[in-house]
Amino acid sequence: MCILEDRIIEIEHLIGQGRYLEARTLTQAAIENSSNIRLQQLHALALSKGGMPGQAKEFLEKVYKDHPEDAETAGILGGIYKTLFKQTENSDFAIQSRDTYLKNFTSTRNYYTGINAATMSSIAGQARKGREIAQEVIATIGEANSFWEIATLGEAYLLSKDPQKSLEHYQKARQLAGTDWGKVSSVHNQLWLISHYMNVPSDILKIFNPPAVAAFVGHMIDRPDRSSPRFPSSIEPAIKAAIKAAIRSNKIAIGYCSLACGGDILFAEAMEEEGGEVNIFLPFNKADFIRESVAFAGEHWVARFEDLMNRHAVHFVTQENYDNHSDLFSMQSKVVLGSTILRRSLIHSDAYLLSVLSDLDFSRLEGGTRDNMSLWPFQDKIINISPNNYLAASGGEASGSSGNKLITPSSSRPALYTLVIDTEKTDEWEKVEKIIRGAFEAAVVPPLACSTIEARLIIGFSTLRALWDFVLLLGKTKGINPSELRLSINGGPILLDDFHEKEIVKYKVMSGGHVDAALNEHQFSMPGICIALSPIAYELPLYKVEIELLSRVHMEKGEVVEVYKILT
């Protein structure tokens, strides 16, 4: 019994951390040998939160039939029906959600299931029933103290057609939420859902308007040997003040950036000083990044870098060495932009691209900077702060040319986007692989490399756009059954060998740490679903590809990988 209890606690912990795939693996094994109802509930939760609410519904309905009086099962099943309603807009799911939530509320008097029963009634077109349940919720809570109690009363009074009391409670809840954007976005998303089915006063909607999100790109502080100034240290205070002004005027409270000396660090510090959330991305290992992008400007910049690293969330595109591969910077920039768009879609807010680029650099935007910024889908929300506006006061003249020498990479190790494909029908793999390889000729941009490793095909593309176009092509290829394929998207620096100049696919051998990681993380793939692994998954929204978090997974070396399901 003790072993079972420990396993249940472990699974609850995994679900609480968003590690749904790991939780599902444990529950799947456990329910084969036990009919414990808590294990069954957790299995349904892991399925639903892990992107499979349909399977969760089928599983838990059988459990609920055997335990119709169990309030916890009813509450979980109500949530699954609600998820299915959001996905399909089928009112039958709204009614089923309301009924199961209501049964839970009647039994437990839990205000959470009560308010959900009231809201789902209103959404299903049964406003009178919704008001009745909402009034019961108000009576159940009584004197509210916590954020969630007060926010629930705001929703209950809204459903009861008492906008003034609703407004008062929502205002109080917003004050308690402060800068907890998780709470703010949760209430906003609920109000956003309700507003599609009943009138929500604008003064209530705007209380929980989510903060704007911003991605940042910009120049580093000038190197000591730069012949003409572009971003000298003398204008640093003025640039930081301008960044702060842009943050305030556009109500930006969530930022994504790298952490090079100059613009990046100034943006991160400004966000921090304004009480915002900072998310940092580095293109390769920390020591190399400091050497290439921070240390040349002086030890005080290194100290500021370290301080920010210690206080905020940091993500590495790769932990490998730099080795003069500048394409890693481009990959990182796209991940920063895509992460910002993804966050915007999750909280339904505005997204800005804030830059610090000289007039010349901003107008011509050559190479990677131009290509990356052109991907930004909200061209009317690009704010550039030009150092030129401050150079005259400091006695310098603007220059767009860095004067840096072109550095040759130390090895043939481009940053590639990888697609791993296999099928559960191993007896048909040779036939399937031949068809996939034949599709290379029809690709708009063919892959650069391809290898077969242990009955899995790993294909390397120079851009994520080219990879995604190929995935779409496979779905239309004769002889391919997409429901039988398992596909996973990853990426990073890849070692290439066995060059064939005259063939469509130039390299036949792919190796290195990122190949090993891509093959290992392919274990999370499922038939008929294309998944993408972080941080490369964050870039997909740049190409209008919708993704949904399936799970967070703790790998053997301690790193956390997020697994996304592609919805498009």
Side-chain angles (χ1 to χ4, degrees):
M1 185 65 179
C2 183
I3 295 175
L4 179 59
E5 290 176 353
D6 289 344
R7 179 51 55 92
I8 288 172
I9 291 171
E10 180 184 4
I11 294 168
E12 288 174 337
H13 177 69
L14 290 172
I15 290 175
Q17 290 189 320
R19 297 162 64 181
Y20 308 124
L21 289 178
E22 292 168 272
R24 193 178 77 219
T25 300
L26 293 181
T27 57
Q28 186 67 60
I31 61 176
E32 290 177 0
N33 302 305
S34 173
S35 59
N36 181 278
I37 190 170
R38 184 55 181 160
L39 280 176
Q40 293 172 329
Q41 292 166 354
L42 292 173
H43 183 62
L45 272 176
L47 284 170
S48 181
K49 291 180 177 294
M52 293 185 284
Q55 290 176 246
K57 167 185 168 293
E58 291 180 13
F59 174 81
L60 199 61
E61 280 180 337
K62 297 174 185 176
V63 177
Y64 187 52
K65 185 177 180 180
D66 293 336
H67 303 276
E69 303 304 319
D70 186 82
E72 181 69 12
T73 302
I76 295 171
L77 186 57
I80 292 170
Y81 287 136
K82 183 179 180 181
T83 298
L84 288 167
F85 167 72
K86 288 180 179 179
Q87 290 183 354
T88 66
E89 297 187 2
N90 184 332
S91 60
D92 289 344
F93 287 131
I95 296 296
Q96 288 177 300
S97 176
R98 189 277 309 277
D99 289 347
T100 47
Y101 272 135
L102 183 57
K103 186 166 187 176
N104 178 285
F105 177 58
T106 302
S107 172
T108 67
R109 309 310 291 175
N110 183 303
Y111 70 84
Y112 169 77
T113 50
I115 195 61
N116 273 286
T119 298
M120 295 311 294
S121 290
S122 298
I123 285 174
Q126 299 180 6
R128 179 179 295 179
K129 183 66 174 178
R131 285 196 297 273
E132 291 174 0
I133 301 171
Q135 287 163 5
E136 288 187 57
V137 171
I138 292 169
T140 298
I141 293 177
E143 188 69 28
N145 296 305
S146 72
F147 167 83
W148 290 114
E149 288 175 338
I150 295 168
T152 298
L153 285 179
E155 187 171 336
Y157 281 117
L158 177 65
L159 298 173
S160 300
K161 304 297 183 182
D162 190 339
Q164 186 55 43
K165 284 189 176 179
S166 176
L167 179 66
E168 291 170 2
H169 282 86
Y170 274 131
Q171 287 174 332
K172 187 175 180 181
R174 181 63 187 88
Q175 289 176 344
L176 289 174
T179 57
D180 188 331
W181 305 124
K183 289 179 178 177
V184 171
S185 62
S186 178
V187 175
H188 175 267
N189 289 345
Q190 183 75 345
L191 285 170
W192 184 81
L193 174 65
I194 294 171
S195 69
H196 285 69
Y197 300 93
M198 61 176 284
N199 178 54
V200 178
S202 59
D203 53 351
I204 289 178
L205 278 173
K206 69 182 182 182
I207 293 172
F208 280 88
N209 273 349
V213 189
F216 179 85
V217 296
H219 295 314
M220 293 189 291
I221 285 288
D222 288 349
R223 292 180 179 272
D225 59 352
R226 187 181 178 89
S227 58
S228 56
R230 181 178 63 182
F231 188 176
S233 58
S234 59
I235 65 171
E236 174 196 331
I239 295 293
K240 186 172 183 179
I243 292 173
K244 273 193 173 185
I247 290 170
R248 289 174 185 165
S249 62
N250 294 287
K251 297 180 173 60
I252 297 168
I254 301 171
Y256 291 81
C257 61
S258 188
L259 210 55
C261 63
D264 287 340
I265 287 179
L266 293 179
F267 173 76
E269 289 176 341
M271 285 294 304
E272 183 180 70
E273 290 164 14
E274 291 298 308
E277 174 190 312
V278 180
N279 299 275
I280 298 165
F281 288 84
L282 298 186
F284 38 80
N285 74 62
K286 178 181 172 182
D288 280 9
F289 185 82
I290 291 175
R291 185 186 67 244
E292 295 296 324
S293 302
V294 185
F296 71 82
E299 284 301 316
H300 65 293
W301 282 101
V302 176
R304 292 160 76 176
F305 168 90
E306 294 285 5
D307 286 344
L308 290 164
M309 287 278 289
N310 290 333
R311 289 196 296 269
H312 300 289
V314 180
H315 311 270
F316 289 86
V317 174
T318 174
Q319 289 276 14
E320 294 190 23
N321 299 333
Y322 172 45
D323 286 338
N324 299 328
H325 286 275
S326 60
D327 53 2
L328 290 173
F329 285 109
S330 179
M331 181 176 275
Q332 169 223 266
S333 295
K334 291 174 184 174
V335 167
V336 167
L337 299 183
S339 297
T340 308
I341 297 168
L342 177 60
R343 187 67 173 274
R344 169 195 175 273
S345 67
L346 291 174
I347 64 175
H348 308 291
S349 67
D350 288 329
Y352 292 87
L353 175 54
L354 182 58
S355 60
V356 172
L357 297 170
S358 69
D359 290 342
L360 183 59
D361 285 287
F362 187 73
S363 63
R364 68 184 183 183
L365 290 178
E366 293 182 339
T369 304
R370 176 199 62 206
D371 294 340
N372 290 345
M373 290 187 71
S374 67
L375 291 171
W376 185 252
F378 316 110
Q379 291 292 307
D380 61 331
K381 286 184 167 55
I382 296 178
I383 303 168
N384 185 55
I385 297 166
S386 174
N388 297 65
N389 298 332
Y390 308 94
L391 279 171
S394 69
E397 294 183 5
S399 169
S401 174
S402 66
N404 290 340
K405 296 179 180 179
L406 183 64
I407 300 174
T408 303
S410 61
S411 64
S412 178
R413 194 200 67 177
L416 296 182
Y417 298 88
T418 57
L419 176 65
V420 179
I421 308 176
D422 70 355
T423 177
E424 287 188 327
K425 295 188 175 182
T426 54
D427 56 324
E428 298 181 7
W429 173 243
E430 287 187 13
K431 175 185 174 183
V432 171
E433 180 184 0
K434 185 176 180 180
I435 295 172
I436 294 171
R437 287 180 177 272
F440 293 160
E441 294 186 11
V444 177
V445 179
L448 183 63
C450 180
S451 296
T452 299
I453 303 174
E454 298 177 356
R456 288 169 294 181
L457 199 61
I458 180 166
I459 312 168
F461 294 83
S462 56
T463 69
L464 189 54
R465 174 78 266 180
L467 184 154
W468 181 242
D469 285 342
F470 184 73
V471 170
L472 297 178
L473 174 65
L474 282 182
K476 304 172 186 176
T477 300
K478 186 177 180 180
I480 293 289
N481 184 348
S483 66
E484 295 177 355
L485 292 184
R486 294 183 298 202
L487 300 91
S488 63
I489 297 172
N490 218 311
I494 307 291
L495 290 169
L496 301 179
D497 203 354
D498 195 8
F499 180 69
H500 296 257
E501 184 177 2
K502 295 183 179 180
E503 296 190 20
I504 293 176
V505 179
K506 304 301 182 186
Y507 291 91
K508 308 299 182 184
V509 175
M510 304 167 64
S511 61
H514 275 274
V515 169
D516 296 339
L519 294 172
N520 181 37
E521 292 166 11
H522 185 67
Q523 66 181 292
F524 309 127
S525 61
M526 293 163 276
I529 293 175
C530 183
I531 65 169
L533 291 304
S534 64
I536 297 304
Y538 305 148
E539 186 181 329
L540 282 164
L542 280 176
Y543 311 105
K544 299 181 180 179
V545 178
E546 294 183 61
I547 60 176
E548 176 182 77
L549 181 65
L550 283 180
S551 184
R552 294 181 179 89
V553 181
H554 286 229
M555 305 302 288
E556 291 180 2
K557 294 182 179 179
E559 72 273 25
V560 178
V561 172
E562 291 186 338
V563 183
Y564 285 84
K565 174 184 177 181
I566 296 179
L567 304 176
T568 304

PDB file of all heavy atoms in Angstrom, residues 431-432 435 477-481:
ATOM      1  N   LYS A 431       9.662   0.390 -47.461  1.00  0.00           N
ATOM      2  CA  LYS A 431       8.803   0.966 -48.492  1.00  0.00           C
ATOM      3  C   LYS A 431       8.509   2.434 -48.182  1.00  0.00           C
ATOM      4  O   LYS A 431       8.586   3.305 -49.065  1.00  0.00           O
ATOM      5  CB  LYS A 431       7.500   0.169 -48.575  1.00  0.00           C
ATOM      6  CG  LYS A 431       6.478   0.749 -49.540  1.00  0.00           C
ATOM      7  CD  LYS A 431       5.164  -0.026 -49.463  1.00  0.00           C
ATOM      8  CE  LYS A 431       4.088   0.637 -50.312  1.00  0.00           C
ATOM      9  NZ  LYS A 431       2.782  -0.072 -50.182  1.00  0.00           N
ATOM     10  N   VAL A 432       8.182   2.722 -46.916  1.00  0.00           N
ATOM     11  CA  VAL A 432       7.860   4.092 -46.509  1.00  0.00           C
ATOM     12  C   VAL A 432       9.073   4.998 -46.671  1.00  0.00           C
ATOM     13  O   VAL A 432       8.969   6.123 -47.184  1.00  0.00           O
ATOM     14  CB  VAL A 432       7.355   4.118 -45.049  1.00  0.00           C
ATOM     15  CG1 VAL A 432       7.219   5.554 -44.548  1.00  0.00           C
ATOM     16  CG2 VAL A 432       6.022   3.392 -44.935  1.00  0.00           C
ATOM     17  N   ILE A 435       9.623   6.043 -50.257  1.00  0.00           N
ATOM     18  CA  ILE A 435       8.667   7.065 -50.709  1.00  0.00           C
ATOM     19  C   ILE A 435       9.064   8.438 -50.169  1.00  0.00           C
ATOM     20  O   ILE A 435       9.017   9.447 -50.885  1.00  0.00           O
ATOM     21  CB  ILE A 435       7.239   6.698 -50.262  1.00  0.00           C
ATOM     22  CG1 ILE A 435       6.788   5.411 -50.953  1.00  0.00           C
ATOM     23  CG2 ILE A 435       6.272   7.833 -50.574  1.00  0.00           C
ATOM     24  CD1 ILE A 435       5.463   4.870 -50.435  1.00  0.00           C
ATOM     25  N   THR A 477       1.603  13.217 -50.189  1.00  0.00           N
ATOM     26  CA  THR A 477       2.376  12.288 -51.019  1.00  0.00           C
ATOM     27  C   THR A 477       1.689  10.934 -51.118  1.00  0.00           C
ATOM     28  O   THR A 477       1.323  10.331 -50.101  1.00  0.00           O
ATOM     29  CB  THR A 477       3.798  12.110 -50.443  1.00  0.00           C
ATOM     30  OG1 THR A 477       4.452  13.388 -50.422  1.00  0.00           O
ATOM     31  CG2 THR A 477       4.614  11.152 -51.294  1.00  0.00           C
ATOM     32  N   LYS A 478       1.514  10.454 -52.327  1.00  0.00           N
ATOM     33  CA  LYS A 478       0.875   9.166 -52.571  1.00  0.00           C
ATOM     34  C   LYS A 478       1.696   8.043 -51.945  1.00  0.00           C
ATOM     35  O   LYS A 478       2.919   8.007 -52.065  1.00  0.00           O
ATOM     36  CB  LYS A 478       0.735   8.933 -54.080  1.00  0.00           C
ATOM     37  CG  LYS A 478      -0.053   7.683 -54.442  1.00  0.00           C
ATOM     38  CD  LYS A 478      -0.214   7.557 -55.951  1.00  0.00           C
ATOM     39  CE  LYS A 478      -1.009   6.306 -56.304  1.00  0.00           C
ATOM     40  NZ  LYS A 478      -1.188   6.157 -57.775  1.00  0.00           N
ATOM     41  N   GLY A 479       0.999   7.147 -51.265  1.00  0.00           N
ATOM     42  CA  GLY A 479       1.670   6.023 -50.624  1.00  0.00           C
ATOM     43  C   GLY A 479       2.026   6.273 -49.179  1.00  0.00           C
ATOM     44  O   GLY A 479       2.479   5.368 -48.476  1.00  0.00           O
ATOM     45  N   ILE A 480       1.818   7.527 -48.712  1.00  0.00           N
ATOM     46  CA  ILE A 480       2.101   7.876 -47.320  1.00  0.00           C
ATOM     47  C   ILE A 480       0.783   7.980 -46.556  1.00  0.00           C
ATOM     48  O   ILE A 480      -0.135   8.688 -46.971  1.00  0.00           O
ATOM     49  CB  ILE A 480       2.848   9.225 -47.219  1.00  0.00           C
ATOM     50  CG1 ILE A 480       4.253   9.113 -47.804  1.00  0.00           C
ATOM     51  CG2 ILE A 480       2.912   9.701 -45.774  1.00  0.00           C
ATOM     52  CD1 ILE A 480       5.211   8.304 -46.968  1.00  0.00           C
ATOM     53  N   ASN A 481       0.685   7.280 -45.444  1.00  0.00           N
ATOM     54  CA  ASN A 481      -0.469   7.402 -44.549  1.00  0.00           C
ATOM     55  C   ASN A 481      -0.020   8.207 -43.332  1.00  0.00           C
ATOM     56  O   ASN A 481       0.650   7.668 -42.445  1.00  0.00           O
ATOM     57  CB  ASN A 481      -0.973   6.028 -44.121  1.00  0.00           C
ATOM     58  CG  ASN A 481      -2.234   6.124 -43.264  1.00  0.00           C
ATOM     59  OD1 ASN A 481      -2.613   7.203 -42.807  1.00  0.00           O
ATOM     60  ND2 ASN A 481      -2.889   4.989 -43.052  1.00  0.00           N
TER      61      ASN A 481
END
